[in-house]
Amino acid sequence: MPQHLARRALLAAAALAGPARPTLAQPEGWPARPVRIVVPFTPGGSNDAIARPLAERLQARLGQPFPVENRPGAGSAVGVQAVAQSPPDGQTLLLTTSSVAAIGAVQGTGFDPTAELAMVALLARAPLVVLTSPASPIASIAALLEADRARPGRVTYASSGPGSTTHIATALFNLRAGTQLQHIPYRGTAGALTDLVAGRVDVMFTTIASAAGPIRDGLLRVIAQTGPERVPGSPPAPTVREAGIDYDAGIWWGLFAPRGLPPALRARLNGVVNDALLAPDFARVLTGEGAIPAPLAPAACDAFLAAETRSLREVVAAAHIRAD
């Protein structure tokens, strides 16, 4: 990303964080031991790409290790529920994607993370990219539409699991484009990308961070971006909207704690995380992954999560998305 654009993004993010910075006075005795960050997905995806650098910076600021633990399963519900059921003492945190807002509707189990977790900080936002194998004849959104018309219901798309961000984003594309792309769920992003590279699945909507290696090595081709406009520094590709489809999808990453976290501790964590997000070194980590820092104050986090939950659940209902 050009330097002036990176500065502009950081200034905008700082404005969103609110006019007053929460107090950074440390609640007495915290953290007195390592603080666990649970990532409810398999290693190697975009969550790891953000969680591990963030953990390093939190350790530097707070003086305790922040080990990252991958706990995948049930479309991320296993790790999410483990954190929700932990004591609200600041010792167990969750770093996950926007899919957390849809779990309650997708799983149908009565477990609603948005009621049992508190968003400590919004970390970053990013569009997705639409990927195909370089050997595939699907080299553009127009070609994808043509393939779907020629073989309705037989063009396949990979996701990192039922109800995941990649699943919901592609289901939304089906709704907006009138296509019948067939869902092939995987247990995480790595297996999905492997089969996409091998041509065993036709297309995937995912993050730049998740697919950075195969894209860089020429093993995957970016045919489109899913945001409303092209993102500076991302792989050169038009937006889906430029292909004439009224479509806008993306992903965000958030840091959560069990509901009931003391307000002073939530404010402390929020302030330290926001400081890390706005530091130039971590901002470069995010922009290098195609994401933009998006710090918010605690009250703004609550409003943001409520709005995203409504929006994502509308897609889940319209597309009849359910966990297998």
Side-chain angles (χ1 to χ4, degrees):
M1 175 182 285
Q3 193 172 24
H4 71 286
L5 291 173
R7 283 198 300 269
R8 188 182 305 167
L10 292 176
L11 289 172
L16 286 174
R21 171 79 65 186
T23 177
L24 295 185
Q26 180 169 326
E28 186 176 355
W30 184 90
R33 62 184 190 275
V35 177
R36 182 174 56 139
I37 299 178
V38 174
V39 171
F41 300 99
T42 53
S46 62
N47 296 275
D48 274 9
I50 292 175
R52 296 183 188 280
L54 177 63
E56 292 173 2
R57 286 154 179 81
L58 292 179
Q59 177 174 340
R61 285 165 167 78
L62 294 171
Q64 286 288 345
F66 280 71
V68 175
E69 176 185 334
N70 293 91
R71 291 198 64 181
S76 80
V78 170
V80 171
Q81 193 160 13
V83 175
Q85 294 173 345
S86 298
D89 56 6
Q91 292 301 134
T92 304
L93 304 174
L94 172 76
L95 192 150
T96 189
T97 67
S98 39
S99 63
V100 70
I103 289 176
V106 171
Q107 298 284 350
T109 60
F111 170 61
D112 183 1
T114 58
E116 300 188 40
L117 293 167
M119 180 182 272
V120 171
L122 179 65
L123 303 176
R125 306 183 71 171
L128 305 179
V129 287
V130 186
L131 301 172
T132 62
S133 165
S136 170
I138 301 173
S140 65
I141 293 298
L144 178 59
L145 299 178
E146 183 179 347
D148 178 76
R149 285 192 296 268
R151 299 185 293 130
R154 297 181 62 190
V155 177
T156 57
Y157 73 90
S159 84
S160 55
S164 63
T165 299
T166 54
H167 183 192
I168 294 172
T170 321
L172 178 61
F173 178 86
N174 269 341
L175 292 171
R176 296 292 173 84
T179 49
Q180 300 179 48
L181 306 181
Q182 182 68 33
H183 182 213
I184 308 296
Y186 289 78
R187 292 186 176 182
T189 303
L193 291 174
T194 297
D195 277 6
L196 185 64
V197 169
R200 288 187 283 269
V201 67
D202 294 311
V203 66
M204 185 173 184
F205 290 51
T206 191
T207 63
I208 294 172
S210 295
I215 292 171
R216 182 185 60 247
D217 296 340
L219 299 175
L220 288 174
R221 174 174 56 198
V222 179
I223 66 170
Q225 302 180 35
T226 66
E229 58 188 21
R230 303 187 191 195
V231 177
S234 63
T239 65
V240 173
R241 186 167 289 179
E242 288 177 79
I245 300 169
D246 181 17
Y247 175 82
D248 176 8
I251 186 172
W252 50 262
W253 294 267
L255 190 67
F256 294 81
R259 187 162 293 278
L261 188 73
L265 185 47
R266 185 185 182 197
R268 168 63 170 158
L269 269 167
N270 176 268
V272 172
V273 171
N274 286 351
D275 283 346
L277 294 177
L278 294 174
D281 63 336
F282 192 53
R284 282 193 294 270
V285 170
L286 294 175
T287 54
E289 302 292 349
I292 295 174
L296 293 176
C301 285
D302 292 339
F304 174 85
L305 182 60
E308 284 293 299
T309 299
R310 287 192 299 270
S311 177
L312 289 170
R313 290 184 180 183
E314 287 174 2
V315 179
V316 168
H320 306 290
I321 295 174
R322 293 292 182 270
D324 294 341

